[in-house]
Amino acid sequence: MKPPRIHPVHGLRTNARDLVMISVAGQVASPTERGTPWRIGYDGRPRSLPGTGGIVLNHRVGDPCVGLAGDHVEPAVSIRNEARAAGGNPDAANQALQSYSCVGNHAIVTSGRAAGARGVVTGKHGGVDTVLIDFPLPAMRQMAIGDRIQVWAYGLGLRLTDYPDVAIWNCSPRLLARWRPVERNGRIHVKVTHRIPARVMGSGLGRNNVLRGDYDIQMSDPGMVRRYKLGSLRFGDIVGIMDADNRYGRSRLGGHVSVGVIVHSDSTVAGHGPGVVSLLSAPASILQLELSPDANIARYLDIRPPRPARPSFPLPTVEQRERTVAKLRRRATASDASMVAGPG
């Protein structure tokens, strides 16, 4: 079981060769629910839907993440470290798994029928505190809840040595090398699929630890969804958040920009939506965003070809349209029946 080779970062100078590669591990996490199966949507309607955890076989990185019959769905495999006594903190081992793992890290299954299968870290999810890993579909079909997975964590402490004002979080040197930010005229140009205003960011805002978890794009405003083409978001899309500062936490700050990757699906709950894990954050005078439909980690990390971006609607919008169409059909049917029956 050889560890992955270190990928140099081309173009921009980094401290990649000084980083520490360290093994962390977890178990495939079971889906969990709270006291009730119902989630009250921002439209006031209760829904019972699949959520976080488990092994998701039919929605992976590169697939659409909006409009699913699910809530906070984590693509492919979710893991946690359930050790409870490490370091005097009951959750210390899982916190290390979250902090050390970086998007683009290699992972390997170490127990169960899929032992030896290789995967790639694609994100992390706050609140439930899971790390998300994509594996080939045949391997996922062999995996079971509780199987152990080891991650070769590499990337924590990464810096751009010529740009000390650029904060890098959760980003492996491998991803940075494949993403290929370009330095031109004293600015770093990075490719993103969407430019998103900070005012639509919700759950997770204000958290002072961008190493663990994510924060959500609110989808409750149909006008904002249309204007910024949020319905076309996919798992793995790299997006830019305007007027957002993620250097020390998640806050709104004019003249700054943050870049992250979409890690979980849309949600019907108020304040929630597709989750973004921070990768880069800097003053806008340093970080320049360039729109590209190909800016998805499924492509950069050779996981699979991403699906073409297509507009979708959040689930409450889809359901409202279905109700409207059904009502019009009932009226049309009643009108037709009345005409057939005739007067009297």
Side-chain angles (χ1 to χ4, degrees), residues 15-16 19 102 155-160 168-169 171 211:
N15 66 330
L19 300 179
C102 292
L156 184 59
L158 183 63
R159 302 191 312 274
L160 299 179
I168 305 180
W169 305 114
C171 183
L211 286 173

Side-chain angles (χ1 to χ4, degrees), residues 108-195:
I108 187 167
V109 182
T110 58
S111 71
R113 295 172 60 194
R118 298 281 186 116
V120 180
V121 173
T122 60
K124 50 186 80 171
H125 188 181
V128 292
D129 298 335
T130 50
V131 170
L132 314 182
I133 305 176
D134 193 282
F135 287 91
L137 185 57
M140 290 197 289
R141 286 174 173 159
Q142 296 292 315
M143 294 169 68
I145 302 298
D147 283 353
R148 292 191 61 82
I149 297 174
Q150 180 169 290
V151 175
W152 286 296
Y154 179 64
L156 184 59
L158 183 63
R159 302 191 312 274
L160 299 179
T161 55
D162 294 328
Y163 290 90
D165 291 329
V166 178
I168 305 180
W169 305 114
N170 309 303
C171 183
S172 68
R174 178 184 179 220
L175 174 57
L176 197 63
R178 302 289 187 87
W179 187 12
R180 291 185 176 274
V182 176
E183 181 183 20
R184 289 199 297 265
N185 301 320
R187 304 183 77 182
I188 300 172
H189 295 248
V190 296
K191 294 180 179 179
V192 299
T193 61
H194 297 70
R195 293 192 185 102

Side-chain angles (χ1 to χ4, degrees), residues 23 84 127 163 167 185 190 201 237 274 333:
S23 295
R84 293 297 178 190
Y163 290 90
N185 301 320
V190 296
M201 302 309 294
D237 275 352
T333 300

Side-chain angles (χ1 to χ4, degrees), residues 64-125:
C65 70
V66 176
L68 306 184
D71 201 293
H72 289 85
V73 172
E74 300 169 339
V77 179
S78 306
I79 70 170
R80 283 180 49 91
N81 190 312
E82 300 294 353
R84 293 297 178 190
N89 182 331
D91 204 32
N94 195 58
Q95 289 177 7
L97 172 64
Q98 277 231 314
S99 295
Y100 293 1
S101 298
C102 292
V103 176
N105 285 161
H106 292 276
I108 187 167
V109 182
T110 58
S111 71
R113 295 172 60 194
R118 298 281 186 116
V120 180
V121 173
T122 60
K124 50 186 80 171
H125 188 181

Side-chain angles (χ1 to χ4, degrees), residues 6-341:
I6 293 174
H7 289 254
V9 178
H10 301 287
L12 293 168
R13 294 199 300 175
T14 75
N15 66 330
R17 296 192 178 279
D18 299 327
L19 300 179
V20 176
M21 181 180 289
I22 185 169
S23 295
V24 290
Q27 302 85 45
V28 178
S30 175
T32 57
E33 284 192 350
R34 296 178 180 174
T36 171
W38 300 104
R39 302 170 191 253
I40 307 300
Y42 51 74
D43 58 350
R45 292 181 175 272
R47 297 176 178 85
S48 184
L49 298 166
T52 58
I55 304 166
V56 176
L57 298 170
N58 61 338
H59 296 287
R60 297 174 58 197
V61 172
D63 289 336
C65 70
V66 176
L68 306 184
D71 201 293
H72 289 85
V73 172
E74 300 169 339
V77 179
S78 306
I79 70 170
R80 283 180 49 91
N81 190 312
E82 300 294 353
R84 293 297 178 190
N89 182 331
D91 204 32
N94 195 58
Q95 289 177 7
L97 172 64
Q98 277 231 314
S99 295
Y100 293 1
S101 298
C102 292
V103 176
N105 285 161
H106 292 276
I108 187 167
V109 182
T110 58
S111 71
R113 295 172 60 194
R118 298 281 186 116
V120 180
V121 173
T122 60
K124 50 186 80 171
H125 188 181
V128 292
D129 298 335
T130 50
V131 170
L132 314 182
I133 305 176
D134 193 282
F135 287 91
L137 185 57
M140 290 197 289
R141 286 174 173 159
Q142 296 292 315
M143 294 169 68
I145 302 298
D147 283 353
R148 292 191 61 82
I149 297 174
Q150 180 169 290
V151 175
W152 286 296
Y154 179 64
L156 184 59
L158 183 63
R159 302 191 312 274
L160 299 179
T161 55
D162 294 328
Y163 290 90
D165 291 329
V166 178
I168 305 180
W169 305 114
N170 309 303
C171 183
S172 68
R174 178 184 179 220
L175 174 57
L176 197 63
R178 302 289 187 87
W179 187 12
R180 291 185 176 274
V182 176
E183 181 183 20
R184 289 199 297 265
N185 301 320
R187 304 183 77 182
I188 300 172
H189 295 248
V190 296
K191 294 180 179 179
V192 299
T193 61
H194 297 70
R195 293 192 185 102
I196 299 170
R199 63 181 180 273
V200 305
M201 302 309 294
S203 178
L205 188 66
R207 295 289 296 272
N208 64 2
N209 191 341
V210 294
L211 286 173
R212 301 174 191 160
D214 60 300
Y215 72 142
D216 290 4
I217 302 168
Q218 299 183 78
M219 304 284 281
S220 52
D221 186 335
M224 298 293 280
V225 171
R226 286 193 302 270
R227 180 176 179 181
Y228 294 101
K229 300 179 180 179
L230 303 180
S232 63
L233 288 167
R234 300 166 295 184
F235 296 114
D237 275 352
I238 296 177
V239 300
I241 306 172
M242 312 303 296
D243 296 322
D245 183 6
N246 286 186
R247 293 173 299 166
Y248 314 112
R250 303 187 189 103
S251 58
R252 182 174 176 180
L253 181 61
H256 284 69
V257 63
S258 295
V259 179
V261 59
I262 301 293
V263 295
H264 67 67
S265 80
D266 190 15
S267 170
T268 65
V269 179
H272 292 258
V276 181
V277 161
S278 305
L279 298 175
L280 303 176
S281 188
S285 59
I286 297 176
L287 207 54
Q288 176 69 43
L289 305 182
E290 295 182 355
L291 289 176
S292 169
D294 296 330
N296 188 288
I297 65 170
R299 183 184 306 279
Y300 292 146
L301 299 175
D302 295 330
I303 296 173
R304 61 199 293 257
R307 297 283 184 90
R310 57 174 175 79
S312 300
F313 296 100
L315 184 59
T317 302
V318 172
E319 292 177 347
Q320 179 59 48
R321 291 187 173 205
E322 291 172 349
R323 288 192 293 271
T324 300
V325 170
K327 183 183 292 185
L328 292 174
R329 285 177 176 169
R330 286 195 298 271
R331 287 180 180 176
T333 300
S335 177
D336 291 345
S338 175
M339 292 178 63
V340 170

